[in-house]
PDB file of all heavy atoms in Angstrom:
ATOM      1  N   LYS A   3       3.927  -9.796  20.254  1.00  0.00           N
ATOM      2  CA  LYS A   3       3.833 -10.807  19.177  1.00  0.00           C
ATOM      3  C   LYS A   3       3.269 -10.203  17.894  1.00  0.00           C
ATOM      4  O   LYS A   3       3.748 -10.519  16.800  1.00  0.00           O
ATOM      5  CB  LYS A   3       2.993 -12.013  19.640  1.00  0.00           C
ATOM      6  CG  LYS A   3       3.276 -13.289  18.916  1.00  0.00           C
ATOM      7  CD  LYS A   3       4.744 -13.725  19.087  1.00  0.00           C
ATOM      8  CE  LYS A   3       5.033 -15.073  18.437  1.00  0.00           C
ATOM      9  NZ  LYS A   3       4.542 -16.225  19.149  1.00  0.00           N
ATOM     10  N   ASP A   4       2.281  -9.318  18.010  1.00  0.00           N
ATOM     11  CA  ASP A   4       1.700  -8.750  16.751  1.00  0.00           C
ATOM     12  C   ASP A   4       2.705  -7.742  16.167  1.00  0.00           C
ATOM     13  O   ASP A   4       2.778  -7.678  14.873  1.00  0.00           O
ATOM     14  CB  ASP A   4       0.370  -8.092  17.014  1.00  0.00           C
ATOM     15  CG  ASP A   4       0.324  -7.142  18.204  1.00  0.00           C
ATOM     16  OD1 ASP A   4       1.266  -7.122  18.976  1.00  0.00           O
ATOM     17  OD2 ASP A   4      -0.697  -6.409  18.372  1.00  0.00           O
ATOM     18  N   THR A   5       3.480  -7.096  16.976  1.00  0.00           N
ATOM     19  CA  THR A   5       4.499  -6.189  16.427  1.00  0.00           C
ATOM     20  C   THR A   5       5.584  -7.004  15.792  1.00  0.00           C
ATOM     21  O   THR A   5       6.075  -6.646  14.724  1.00  0.00           O
ATOM     22  CB  THR A   5       5.118  -5.350  17.558  1.00  0.00           C
ATOM     23  OG1 THR A   5       4.075  -4.598  18.254  1.00  0.00           O
ATOM     24  CG2 THR A   5       6.155  -4.364  17.043  1.00  0.00           C
ATOM     25  N   ALA A   6       5.948  -8.122  16.397  1.00  0.00           N
ATOM     26  CA  ALA A   6       6.986  -8.996  15.773  1.00  0.00           C
ATOM     27  C   ALA A   6       6.485  -9.500  14.413  1.00  0.00           C
ATOM     28  O   ALA A   6       7.283  -9.593  13.451  1.00  0.00           O
ATOM     29  CB  ALA A   6       7.265 -10.168  16.691  1.00  0.00           C
ATOM     30  N   ASN A   7       5.226  -9.813  14.337  1.00  0.00           N
ATOM     31  CA  ASN A   7       4.674 -10.307  13.050  1.00  0.00           C
ATOM     32  C   ASN A   7       4.713  -9.194  12.022  1.00  0.00           C
ATOM     33  O   ASN A   7       5.047  -9.452  10.802  1.00  0.00           O
ATOM     34  CB  ASN A   7       3.257 -10.810  13.250  1.00  0.00           C
ATOM     35  CG  ASN A   7       2.733 -11.564  12.044  1.00  0.00           C
ATOM     36  OD1 ASN A   7       3.330 -12.470  11.579  1.00  0.00           O
ATOM     37  ND2 ASN A   7       1.573 -11.136  11.603  1.00  0.00           N
ATOM     38  N   PHE A   8       4.342  -7.989  12.383  1.00  0.00           N
ATOM     39  CA  PHE A   8       4.430  -6.858  11.464  1.00  0.00           C
ATOM     40  C   PHE A   8       5.862  -6.621  10.978  1.00  0.00           C
ATOM     41  O   PHE A   8       6.087  -6.409   9.771  1.00  0.00           O
ATOM     42  CB  PHE A   8       3.939  -5.592  12.176  1.00  0.00           C
ATOM     43  CG  PHE A   8       4.086  -4.359  11.359  1.00  0.00           C
ATOM     44  CD1 PHE A   8       3.265  -4.106  10.258  1.00  0.00           C
ATOM     45  CD2 PHE A   8       5.028  -3.390  11.682  1.00  0.00           C
ATOM     46  CE1 PHE A   8       3.413  -2.942   9.510  1.00  0.00           C
ATOM     47  CE2 PHE A   8       5.191  -2.247  10.969  1.00  0.00           C
ATOM     48  CZ  PHE A   8       4.409  -2.022   9.871  1.00  0.00           C
ATOM     49  N   LEU A   9       6.813  -6.726  11.932  1.00  0.00           N
ATOM     50  CA  LEU A   9       8.223  -6.583  11.533  1.00  0.00           C
ATOM     51  C   LEU A   9       8.668  -7.616  10.534  1.00  0.00           C
ATOM     52  O   LEU A   9       9.401  -7.315   9.597  1.00  0.00           O
ATOM     53  CB  LEU A   9       9.097  -6.616  12.799  1.00  0.00           C
ATOM     54  CG  LEU A   9      10.570  -6.199  12.692  1.00  0.00           C
ATOM     55  CD1 LEU A   9      10.652  -4.775  12.256  1.00  0.00           C
ATOM     56  CD2 LEU A   9      11.242  -6.394  14.052  1.00  0.00           C
ATOM     57  N   ARG A  10       8.193  -8.835  10.778  1.00  0.00           N
ATOM     58  CA  ARG A  10       8.513  -9.937   9.803  1.00  0.00           C
ATOM     59  C   ARG A  10       7.997  -9.612   8.411  1.00  0.00           C
ATOM     60  O   ARG A  10       8.642  -9.788   7.404  1.00  0.00           O
ATOM     61  CB  ARG A  10       7.868 -11.255  10.283  1.00  0.00           C
ATOM     62  CG  ARG A  10       8.445 -11.901  11.474  1.00  0.00           C
ATOM     63  CD  ARG A  10       7.614 -13.068  11.899  1.00  0.00           C
ATOM     64  NE  ARG A  10       7.624 -14.188  10.983  1.00  0.00           N
ATOM     65  CZ  ARG A  10       6.588 -14.792  10.496  1.00  0.00           C
ATOM     66  NH1 ARG A  10       5.356 -14.426  10.819  1.00  0.00           N
ATOM     67  NH2 ARG A  10       6.734 -15.814   9.677  1.00  0.00           N
ATOM     68  N   ILE A  11       6.758  -9.085   8.367  1.00  0.00           N
ATOM     69  CA  ILE A  11       6.160  -8.774   7.076  1.00  0.00           C
ATOM     70  C   ILE A  11       6.923  -7.643   6.348  1.00  0.00           C
ATOM     71  O   ILE A  11       7.262  -7.748   5.216  1.00  0.00           O
ATOM     72  CB  ILE A  11       4.666  -8.341   7.247  1.00  0.00           C
ATOM     73  CG1 ILE A  11       3.851  -9.555   7.694  1.00  0.00           C
ATOM     74  CG2 ILE A  11       4.098  -7.753   5.961  1.00  0.00           C
ATOM     75  CD1 ILE A  11       2.456  -9.212   8.175  1.00  0.00           C
ATOM     76  N   VAL A  12       7.219  -6.612   7.118  1.00  0.00           N
ATOM     77  CA  VAL A  12       8.008  -5.468   6.526  1.00  0.00           C
ATOM     78  C   VAL A  12       9.381  -5.972   6.006  1.00  0.00           C
ATOM     79  O   VAL A  12       9.741  -5.680   4.859  1.00  0.00           O
ATOM     80  CB  VAL A  12       8.200  -4.318   7.524  1.00  0.00           C
ATOM     81  CG1 VAL A  12       9.156  -3.246   6.980  1.00  0.00           C
ATOM     82  CG2 VAL A  12       6.852  -3.734   7.883  1.00  0.00           C
ATOM     83  N   ALA A  13      10.064  -6.689   6.831  1.00  0.00           N
ATOM     84  CA  ALA A  13      11.419  -7.153   6.458  1.00  0.00           C
ATOM     85  C   ALA A  13      11.381  -8.100   5.253  1.00  0.00           C
ATOM     86  O   ALA A  13      12.214  -8.102   4.383  1.00  0.00           O
ATOM     87  CB  ALA A  13      12.064  -7.867   7.635  1.00  0.00           C
ATOM     88  N   THR A  14      10.311  -8.967   5.224  1.00  0.00           N
ATOM     89  CA  THR A  14      10.205  -9.919   4.079  1.00  0.00           C
ATOM     90  C   THR A  14       9.929  -9.129   2.782  1.00  0.00           C
ATOM     91  O   THR A  14      10.435  -9.485   1.736  1.00  0.00           O
ATOM     92  CB  THR A  14       9.011 -10.845   4.358  1.00  0.00           C
ATOM     93  OG1 THR A  14       9.296 -11.605   5.544  1.00  0.00           O
ATOM     94  CG2 THR A  14       8.835 -11.826   3.205  1.00  0.00           C
ATOM     95  N   MET A  15       9.143  -8.050   2.865  1.00  0.00           N
ATOM     96  CA  MET A  15       8.831  -7.277   1.661  1.00  0.00           C
ATOM     97  C   MET A  15      10.050  -6.497   1.202  1.00  0.00           C
ATOM     98  O   MET A  15      10.298  -6.433  -0.008  1.00  0.00           O
ATOM     99  CB  MET A  15       7.666  -6.305   1.982  1.00  0.00           C
ATOM    100  CG  MET A  15       6.317  -7.051   2.179  1.00  0.00           C
ATOM    101  SD  MET A  15       5.007  -5.863   2.681  1.00  0.00           S
ATOM    102  CE  MET A  15       4.913  -4.862   1.222  1.00  0.00           C
ATOM    103  N   VAL A  16      10.745  -5.920   2.174  1.00  0.00           N
ATOM    104  CA  VAL A  16      11.823  -5.008   1.816  1.00  0.00           C
ATOM    105  C   VAL A  16      13.090  -5.805   1.417  1.00  0.00           C
ATOM    106  O   VAL A  16      13.843  -5.393   0.483  1.00  0.00           O
ATOM    107  CB  VAL A  16      12.205  -4.090   2.982  1.00  0.00           C
ATOM    108  CG1 VAL A  16      13.411  -3.226   2.673  1.00  0.00           C
ATOM    109  CG2 VAL A  16      11.006  -3.181   3.274  1.00  0.00           C
ATOM    110  N   GLN A  17      13.333  -6.972   2.038  1.00  0.00           N
ATOM    111  CA  GLN A  17      14.537  -7.735   1.877  1.00  0.00           C
ATOM    112  C   GLN A  17      15.768  -6.851   1.913  1.00  0.00           C
ATOM    113  O   GLN A  17      16.543  -6.808   0.920  1.00  0.00           O
ATOM    114  CB  GLN A  17      14.424  -8.570   0.597  1.00  0.00           C
ATOM    115  CG  GLN A  17      13.513  -9.809   0.697  1.00  0.00           C
ATOM    116  CD  GLN A  17      14.011 -10.748   1.819  1.00  0.00           C
ATOM    117  OE1 GLN A  17      15.187 -11.201   1.833  1.00  0.00           O
ATOM    118  NE2 GLN A  17      13.103 -11.101   2.694  1.00  0.00           N
ATOM    119  N   PRO A  18      15.997  -6.179   2.978  1.00  0.00           N
ATOM    120  CA  PRO A  18      17.084  -5.229   3.049  1.00  0.00           C
ATOM    121  C   PRO A  18      18.458  -5.939   3.102  1.00  0.00           C
ATOM    122  O   PRO A  18      18.606  -7.023   3.633  1.00  0.00           O
ATOM    123  CB  PRO A  18      16.874  -4.523   4.409  1.00  0.00           C
ATOM    124  CG  PRO A  18      16.111  -5.560   5.211  1.00  0.00           C
ATOM    125  CD  PRO A  18      15.228  -6.282   4.255  1.00  0.00           C
ATOM    126  N   LYS A  19      19.464  -5.298   2.519  1.00  0.00           N
ATOM    127  CA  LYS A  19      20.804  -5.824   2.541  1.00  0.00           C
ATOM    128  C   LYS A  19      21.472  -5.492   3.866  1.00  0.00           C
ATOM    129  O   LYS A  19      22.209  -6.298   4.469  1.00  0.00           O
ATOM    130  CB  LYS A  19      21.647  -5.257   1.413  1.00  0.00           C
ATOM    131  CG  LYS A  19      21.214  -5.720   0.021  1.00  0.00           C
ATOM    132  CD  LYS A  19      22.078  -5.141  -1.052  1.00  0.00           C
ATOM    133  CE  LYS A  19      21.648  -5.662  -2.424  1.00  0.00           C
ATOM    134  NZ  LYS A  19      22.527  -5.022  -3.506  1.00  0.00           N
ATOM    135  N   LYS A  20      21.109  -4.307   4.415  1.00  0.00           N
ATOM    136  CA  LYS A  20      21.704  -3.883   5.691  1.00  0.00           C
ATOM    137  C   LYS A  20      20.632  -3.344   6.601  1.00  0.00           C
ATOM    138  O   LYS A  20      19.831  -2.497   6.197  1.00  0.00           O
ATOM    139  CB  LYS A  20      22.811  -2.847   5.485  1.00  0.00           C
ATOM    140  CG  LYS A  20      23.996  -3.352   4.667  1.00  0.00           C
ATOM    141  CD  LYS A  20      25.083  -2.296   4.575  1.00  0.00           C
ATOM    142  CE  LYS A  20      25.717  -2.013   5.896  1.00  0.00           C
ATOM    143  NZ  LYS A  20      26.836  -1.036   5.790  1.00  0.00           N
ATOM    144  N   ILE A  21      20.613  -3.864   7.830  1.00  0.00           N
ATOM    145  CA  ILE A  21      19.612  -3.475   8.815  1.00  0.00           C
ATOM    146  C   ILE A  21      20.298  -2.894  10.051  1.00  0.00           C
ATOM    147  O   ILE A  21      21.319  -3.455  10.508  1.00  0.00           O
ATOM    148  CB  ILE A  21      18.775  -4.688   9.268  1.00  0.00           C
ATOM    149  CG1 ILE A  21      18.056  -5.342   8.025  1.00  0.00           C
ATOM    150  CG2 ILE A  21      17.783  -4.349  10.323  1.00  0.00           C
ATOM    151  CD1 ILE A  21      17.424  -6.700   8.351  1.00  0.00           C
ATOM    152  N   LEU A  22      19.761  -1.826  10.566  1.00  0.00           N
ATOM    153  CA  LEU A  22      20.197  -1.314  11.814  1.00  0.00           C
ATOM    154  C   LEU A  22      19.078  -1.427  12.848  1.00  0.00           C
ATOM    155  O   LEU A  22      17.949  -0.945  12.600  1.00  0.00           O
ATOM    156  CB  LEU A  22      20.573   0.182  11.694  1.00  0.00           C
ATOM    157  CG  LEU A  22      20.952   0.936  13.021  1.00  0.00           C
ATOM    158  CD1 LEU A  22      22.218   0.331  13.623  1.00  0.00           C
ATOM    159  CD2 LEU A  22      21.176   2.412  12.722  1.00  0.00           C
ATOM    160  N   GLU A  23      19.350  -2.008  13.961  1.00  0.00           N
ATOM    161  CA  GLU A  23      18.398  -2.194  15.067  1.00  0.00           C
ATOM    162  C   GLU A  23      18.932  -1.394  16.265  1.00  0.00           C
ATOM    163  O   GLU A  23      20.087  -1.591  16.702  1.00  0.00           O
ATOM    164  CB  GLU A  23      18.207  -3.601  15.430  1.00  0.00           C
ATOM    165  CG  GLU A  23      17.206  -3.806  16.618  1.00  0.00           C
ATOM    166  CD  GLU A  23      17.107  -5.293  17.018  1.00  0.00           C
ATOM    167  OE1 GLU A  23      18.155  -5.971  17.105  1.00  0.00           O
ATOM    168  OE2 GLU A  23      15.976  -5.728  17.236  1.00  0.00           O
ATOM    169  N   ILE A  24      18.111  -0.550  16.830  1.00  0.00           N
ATOM    170  CA  ILE A  24      18.474   0.272  17.985  1.00  0.00           C
ATOM    171  C   ILE A  24      17.703  -0.272  19.208  1.00  0.00           C
ATOM    172  O   ILE A  24      16.496  -0.010  19.319  1.00  0.00           O
ATOM    173  CB  ILE A  24      18.162   1.737  17.745  1.00  0.00           C
ATOM    174  CG1 ILE A  24      18.908   2.220  16.508  1.00  0.00           C
ATOM    175  CG2 ILE A  24      18.597   2.590  18.938  1.00  0.00           C
ATOM    176  CD1 ILE A  24      18.400   3.545  15.922  1.00  0.00           C
ATOM    177  N   GLY A  25      18.400  -1.021  20.038  1.00  0.00           N
ATOM    178  CA  GLY A  25      17.758  -1.709  21.162  1.00  0.00           C
ATOM    179  C   GLY A  25      17.717  -3.201  20.970  1.00  0.00           C
ATOM    180  O   GLY A  25      16.696  -3.740  20.487  1.00  0.00           O
ATOM    181  N   THR A  26      18.789  -3.914  21.271  1.00  0.00           N
ATOM    182  CA  THR A  26      18.862  -5.350  21.048  1.00  0.00           C
ATOM    183  C   THR A  26      18.086  -6.084  22.092  1.00  0.00           C
ATOM    184  O   THR A  26      17.421  -7.105  21.792  1.00  0.00           O
ATOM    185  CB  THR A  26      20.307  -5.819  21.085  1.00  0.00           C
ATOM    186  OG1 THR A  26      21.144  -4.940  20.312  1.00  0.00           O
ATOM    187  CG2 THR A  26      20.462  -7.251  20.595  1.00  0.00           C
ATOM    188  N   ALA A  27      18.208  -5.649  23.349  1.00  0.00           N
ATOM    189  CA  ALA A  27      17.696  -6.401  24.529  1.00  0.00           C
ATOM    190  C   ALA A  27      18.388  -7.805  24.498  1.00  0.00           C
ATOM    191  O   ALA A  27      19.636  -7.893  24.390  1.00  0.00           O
ATOM    192  CB  ALA A  27      16.228  -6.481  24.607  1.00  0.00           C
ATOM    193  N   ILE A  28      17.583  -8.889  24.446  1.00  0.00           N
ATOM    194  CA  ILE A  28      18.175 -10.215  24.462  1.00  0.00           C
ATOM    195  C   ILE A  28      18.242 -10.846  23.034  1.00  0.00           C
ATOM    196  O   ILE A  28      18.606 -12.009  22.875  1.00  0.00           O
ATOM    197  CB  ILE A  28      17.436 -11.169  25.393  1.00  0.00           C
ATOM    198  CG1 ILE A  28      16.001 -11.254  24.994  1.00  0.00           C
ATOM    199  CG2 ILE A  28      17.584 -10.678  26.843  1.00  0.00           C
ATOM    200  CD1 ILE A  28      15.237 -12.309  25.799  1.00  0.00           C
ATOM    201  N   GLY A  29      17.895 -10.008  22.037  1.00  0.00           N
ATOM    202  CA  GLY A  29      18.073 -10.499  20.647  1.00  0.00           C
ATOM    203  C   GLY A  29      16.868 -11.106  20.055  1.00  0.00           C
ATOM    204  O   GLY A  29      16.896 -11.688  18.978  1.00  0.00           O
ATOM    205  N   TYR A  30      15.698 -10.899  20.693  1.00  0.00           N
ATOM    206  CA  TYR A  30      14.459 -11.541  20.174  1.00  0.00           C
ATOM    207  C   TYR A  30      14.071 -10.982  18.769  1.00  0.00           C
ATOM    208  O   TYR A  30      13.881 -11.743  17.816  1.00  0.00           O
ATOM    209  CB  TYR A  30      13.331 -11.322  21.173  1.00  0.00           C
ATOM    210  CG  TYR A  30      12.029 -11.945  20.796  1.00  0.00           C
ATOM    211  CD1 TYR A  30      11.807 -13.295  20.858  1.00  0.00           C
ATOM    212  CD2 TYR A  30      10.945 -11.146  20.325  1.00  0.00           C
ATOM    213  CE1 TYR A  30      10.610 -13.894  20.535  1.00  0.00           C
ATOM    214  CE2 TYR A  30       9.725 -11.690  19.929  1.00  0.00           C
ATOM    215  CZ  TYR A  30       9.592 -13.040  20.024  1.00  0.00           C
ATOM    216  OH  TYR A  30       8.377 -13.609  19.685  1.00  0.00           O
ATOM    217  N   SER A  31      13.954  -9.709  18.689  1.00  0.00           N
ATOM    218  CA  SER A  31      13.553  -9.137  17.415  1.00  0.00           C
ATOM    219  C   SER A  31      14.695  -9.237  16.406  1.00  0.00           C
ATOM    220  O   SER A  31      14.454  -9.367  15.153  1.00  0.00           O
ATOM    221  CB  SER A  31      13.175  -7.673  17.535  1.00  0.00           C
ATOM    222  OG  SER A  31      14.110  -6.879  18.179  1.00  0.00           O
ATOM    223  N   THR A  32      15.936  -9.223  16.835  1.00  0.00           N
ATOM    224  CA  THR A  32      17.086  -9.387  15.960  1.00  0.00           C
ATOM    225  C   THR A  32      16.995 -10.757  15.281  1.00  0.00           C
ATOM    226  O   THR A  32      17.256 -10.869  14.065  1.00  0.00           O
ATOM    227  CB  THR A  32      18.406  -9.335  16.807  1.00  0.00           C
ATOM    228  OG1 THR A  32      18.280  -8.368  17.831  1.00  0.00           O
ATOM    229  CG2 THR A  32      19.531  -9.019  15.889  1.00  0.00           C
ATOM    230  N   LYS A  33      16.639 -11.778  16.014  1.00  0.00           N
ATOM    231  CA  LYS A  33      16.527 -13.115  15.463  1.00  0.00           C
ATOM    232  C   LYS A  33      15.432 -13.178  14.399  1.00  0.00           C
ATOM    233  O   LYS A  33      15.534 -13.774  13.379  1.00  0.00           O
ATOM    234  CB  LYS A  33      16.204 -14.137  16.589  1.00  0.00           C
ATOM    235  CG  LYS A  33      16.038 -15.551  16.096  1.00  0.00           C
ATOM    236  CD  LYS A  33      15.641 -16.510  17.207  1.00  0.00           C
ATOM    237  CE  LYS A  33      15.591 -17.963  16.705  1.00  0.00           C
ATOM    238  NZ  LYS A  33      14.544 -18.116  15.618  1.00  0.00           N
ATOM    239  N   ILE A  34      14.321 -12.498  14.694  1.00  0.00           N
ATOM    240  CA  ILE A  34      13.219 -12.475  13.713  1.00  0.00           C
ATOM    241  C   ILE A  34      13.669 -11.895  12.408  1.00  0.00           C
ATOM    242  O   ILE A  34      13.356 -12.350  11.303  1.00  0.00           O
ATOM    243  CB  ILE A  34      12.037 -11.715  14.254  1.00  0.00           C
ATOM    244  CG1 ILE A  34      11.360 -12.536  15.408  1.00  0.00           C
ATOM    245  CG2 ILE A  34      11.023 -11.344  13.230  1.00  0.00           C
ATOM    246  CD1 ILE A  34      10.337 -11.851  16.197  1.00  0.00           C
ATOM    247  N   LEU A  35      14.391 -10.815  12.494  1.00  0.00           N
ATOM    248  CA  LEU A  35      14.927 -10.110  11.283  1.00  0.00           C
ATOM    249  C   LEU A  35      15.903 -10.989  10.502  1.00  0.00           C
ATOM    250  O   LEU A  35      15.833 -11.121   9.299  1.00  0.00           O
ATOM    251  CB  LEU A  35      15.603  -8.801  11.634  1.00  0.00           C
ATOM    252  CG  LEU A  35      14.696  -7.680  12.141  1.00  0.00           C
ATOM    253  CD1 LEU A  35      15.487  -6.530  12.800  1.00  0.00           C
ATOM    254  CD2 LEU A  35      13.830  -7.132  11.036  1.00  0.00           C
ATOM    255  N   LEU A  36      16.782 -11.671  11.261  1.00  0.00           N
ATOM    256  CA  LEU A  36      17.742 -12.523  10.626  1.00  0.00           C
ATOM    257  C   LEU A  36      17.082 -13.742   9.922  1.00  0.00           C
ATOM    258  O   LEU A  36      17.514 -14.229   8.922  1.00  0.00           O
ATOM    259  CB  LEU A  36      18.756 -12.985  11.642  1.00  0.00           C
ATOM    260  CG  LEU A  36      19.706 -11.882  12.116  1.00  0.00           C
ATOM    261  CD1 LEU A  36      20.405 -12.323  13.437  1.00  0.00           C
ATOM    262  CD2 LEU A  36      20.816 -11.643  11.065  1.00  0.00           C
ATOM    263  N   ASP A  37      16.006 -14.250  10.556  1.00  0.00           N
ATOM    264  CA  ASP A  37      15.329 -15.453  10.034  1.00  0.00           C
ATOM    265  C   ASP A  37      14.634 -15.139   8.693  1.00  0.00           C
ATOM    266  O   ASP A  37      14.597 -16.023   7.835  1.00  0.00           O
ATOM    267  CB  ASP A  37      14.299 -15.951  11.022  1.00  0.00           C
ATOM    268  CG  ASP A  37      14.937 -16.763  12.171  1.00  0.00           C
ATOM    269  OD1 ASP A  37      16.104 -17.222  11.987  1.00  0.00           O
ATOM    270  OD2 ASP A  37      14.313 -16.899  13.194  1.00  0.00           O
ATOM    271  N   VAL A  38      14.070 -13.948   8.544  1.00  0.00           N
ATOM    272  CA  VAL A  38      13.389 -13.659   7.322  1.00  0.00           C
ATOM    273  C   VAL A  38      14.188 -12.980   6.234  1.00  0.00           C
ATOM    274  O   VAL A  38      13.754 -12.821   5.112  1.00  0.00           O
ATOM    275  CB  VAL A  38      12.035 -12.868   7.571  1.00  0.00           C
ATOM    276  CG1 VAL A  38      11.106 -13.635   8.477  1.00  0.00           C
ATOM    277  CG2 VAL A  38      12.379 -11.469   8.206  1.00  0.00           C
TER     278      VAL A  38
END
């Protein structure tokens, strides 16, 4: 959860147009990136 929160902060600051995620698993962190 704390890693997920850090990822949210980074993605919110960067506001990237294109993101690459290596290791989807069930899409939990993917969803976090898409939401922010």
Side-chain angles (χ1 to χ4, degrees):
K3 204 63 177 282
D4 50 350
T5 305
N7 190 53
F8 174 73
L9 191 61
R10 288 172 70 229
I11 292 169
V12 171
T14 300
M15 292 175 64
V16 176
Q17 283 300 308
K19 293 180 179 179
K20 295 183 69 175
I21 301 170
L22 175 63
E23 178 183 45
I24 303 163
T26 315
I28 58 174
Y30 180 75
S31 52
T32 323
K33 179 183 183 301
I34 288 170
L35 291 168
L36 290 162
D37 281 341
V38 297

